Amino acid sequence: IVRRSQVLHSVELAEICAALTAAHVLISWQWELEVLSQNLVYGSECTKDFDALVKVSDGNRIKGFAIEFERTAKGTARYGDLRKVLDAANGVDTILYLTPDPSILYLLAVELRSVNKRIGLALSRAFRSSLLSTNVLTNTSANDVVTFREFLFG
């Protein structure tokens, strides 16, 4: 049985994938089910079942990253568990967290600040419309705000 929240989650991810495709920056997109399957069958180096593993191009360079879409806030204990999983995740050093809600974005910024991966946070609506030009809040100690292009490609 599929819950409504799962459908909305999947629709949002499909819209993000479509926006990247329409802008001709998407190189590859692996859906969560593909990531999960690889992790189970092949013992893949990616130990977290991210919502998507993505590769994009800025016209000159190609870079991969994980996408997580957070529709609803979780409890403090769940974020503690998530920090441990993200810290232990192999194969991914850059994660883009997208959310529809500014309050969840700031909650994520606080909860994920100490994760030893590069994390960018943005509103999903802004990302769909601006893509590589989207301003992202980072999990650096200064909580820098940079464009996703700068965050991803340096």
Side-chain angles (χ1 to χ4, degrees):
I1 297 176
V2 178
R3 294 187 315 262
R4 183 177 192 274
S5 62
Q6 290 172 307
V7 171
L8 295 173
H9 186 267
S10 295
V11 166
E12 182 65 32
L13 287 167
E15 289 177 351
I16 292 163
C17 182
L20 290 166
T21 300
H24 306 289
V25 297
L26 183 65
I27 301 298
S28 68
W29 180 287
Q30 278 188 298
W31 293 94
E32 180 179 20
L33 185 56
E34 294 174 89
V35 177
L36 171 68
S37 297
Q38 284 181 337
N39 287 345
L40 289 173
V41 173
Y42 301 114
S44 172
E45 65 178 20
C46 182
T47 54
K48 162 100 172 78
D49 300 327
F50 290 102
D51 289 336
L53 293 177
V54 180
K55 286 185 182 173
V56 296
S57 172
D58 69 350
N60 300 313
R61 302 162 288 183
I62 295 174
K63 181 72 174 165
F65 61 99
I67 289 181
E68 281 290 302
F69 179 64
E70 193 87 352
R71 267 187 49 72
T72 58
K74 315 253 183 309
T76 302
R78 295 250 334 253
Y79 285 116
D81 293 341
L82 178 60
R83 284 190 296 274
K84 291 176 189 169
V85 169
L86 291 175
D87 280 336
N90 297 320
V92 172
D93 66 346
T94 304
I95 304 164
L96 176 62
Y97 262 88
L98 298 172
T99 181
D101 185 328
S103 62
I104 296 173
L105 185 141
Y106 291 111
L107 173 66
L108 288 168
V110 170
E111 292 290 350
L112 302 179
R113 183 176 298 137
S114 65
V115 173
N116 66 7
K117 304 279 190 265
R118 295 177 64 239
I119 297 178
L121 305 120
L123 294 175
S124 54
R125 180 178 348 106
F127 186 75
R128 282 193 320 269
S129 65
S130 300
L131 300 173
L132 297 179
S133 299
T134 305
N135 285 329
V136 296
L137 177 63
T138 66
N139 69 327
T140 60
S141 59
N143 288 328
D144 295 323
V145 175
V146 298
T147 66
F148 185 60
R149 177 181 282 105
E150 183 181 344
F151 174 73
L152 191 58
F153 295 103

